[in-house]
Amino acid sequence: MIVGALVLVGAQTSARSAFAEEGFYVGLNGGMNWLNGGDGDTETAGNSHTGSLSDVEGDQGSLLGGVAGYKFSDLWRADISYTRLNNKLDWQGVFPGGGVNSAFTSDASSDVVMLNGYVHAKGFDEDTFATFDPFIGAGIGFTSNRLTHIVESNASTGAFAADIRDGKKIHPAFRLGVGLDANIAPSLTLTSSLDAYWLDGFETGDSRVLAAGTFQNIGAWQTKDAISVGISIGLRYAF
């Protein structure tokens, strides 16, 4: 019993010291995200009439990312992150001045690069959070938001109307999140997090090809205040 107790204490001490190591780290994470497409923010000369967006809807999609950073102490660390968010984005085009309303579908992606800071509970109480370490984090950076495979259809019948040119827009981006670290091996940490990303908006290209093959210039359809909420799990390796 005494030998078993000593082994247990030694294992806990080893895990605790490995978990508390300072220095550089890299990590990978993946999971799911839910996109709130935000609101319409444009009027465009589509379908020969002035149109406005409505019913902007995102969906559940994928999340994949990586980080490189430095752990300064048990209390805090900082890193640079890249996150790829993939979703669908749909909206309605309404033409108050006349014409048939349109329905739009598209693939939406965001390439988010951020500088992040984290505060860990272990820095306040090393014994209580020796193995499982909750943290909060925040980030600031930019996102490249892209819309591809944009299809315009008749909102009433669903009949194909046009292919819209792809669009890309770079915006500032912000992140707030909470998470939990668990030491699983020397220098290796299992991490999970729940994060909210503010992505600003998405934008289409400024032309379309009609069903008959006719090319037409239009104003770009735009959204604003898109937010993504993501759940992810990953691994960090400390050098």
Side-chain angles (χ1 to χ4, degrees):
M1 291 178 62
I2 293 174
V3 172
L6 290 174
V7 170
L8 179 61
V9 170
Q12 290 177 335
T13 302
S14 176
R16 184 175 300 176
S17 64
F19 195 63
E21 285 183 357
E22 301 173 3
F24 292 99
Y25 64 85
V26 294
L28 293 173
N29 63 290
M32 300 181 296
N33 84 96
W34 291 264
L35 177 65
N36 181 329
D39 300 315
D41 189 32
T42 191
E43 292 187 347
T44 182
N47 202 25
S48 301
H49 297 280
T50 298
S52 299
L53 276 80
S54 67
D55 299 329
V56 183
E57 296 182 357
D59 75 339
Q60 175 185 322
S62 63
L63 178 158
L64 183 65
V67 299
Y70 191 87
K71 185 176 182 181
F72 295 92
S73 68
D74 286 342
L75 180 62
W76 74 287
R77 60 185 172 89
D79 60 35
I80 296 174
S81 66
Y82 164 76
T83 305
R84 172 70 177 234
L85 307 172
N86 292 308
N87 297 91
K88 299 286 187 181
L89 187 65
D90 303 337
W91 67 92
Q92 297 283 319
V94 180
F95 302 99
V100 178
N101 292 343
S102 294
F104 295 83
T105 62
S106 69
D107 292 332
S109 62
S110 298
D111 295 298
V112 188
V113 177
M114 287 190 165
L115 176 63
N116 307 281
Y118 309 86
V119 177
H120 285 257
K122 183 178 175 65
F124 297 99
D125 191 330
E126 181 179 354
D127 293 329
T128 301
F129 302 106
T131 303
F132 298 100
D133 182 12
F135 63 85
I136 59 174
I140 183 171
F142 66 89
T143 177
S144 177
N145 295 336
R146 183 184 294 271
L147 292 179
T148 59
H149 305 110
I150 311 166
V151 177
E152 180 180 359
S153 303
N154 185 301
S156 299
T157 67
F160 174 82
D163 287 317
I164 309 298
R165 183 180 178 182
D166 296 349
K168 182 176 74 173
K169 196 73 172 181
I170 296 176
H171 297 284
F174 305 94
R175 181 189 66 85
L176 290 174
V178 296
L180 181 68
D181 282 352
N183 184 56
I184 58 175
S187 299
L188 194 61
T189 300
L190 178 68
T191 184
S192 59
S193 63
L194 171 65
D195 299 285
Y197 297 85
W198 184 79
L199 304 172
D200 202 344
F202 292 84
E203 182 175 317
T204 73
D206 56 4
S207 63
R208 64 180 180 174
V209 179
L210 303 177
T214 305
F215 178 88
Q216 186 179 54
N217 289 319
I218 63 171
W221 297 89
Q222 300 175 15
T223 71
K224 64 177 182 179
D225 295 332
I227 295 175
S228 172
V229 177
I231 297 176
S232 65
I233 187 169
L235 292 171
R236 289 203 314 272
Y237 178 78
F239 294 95

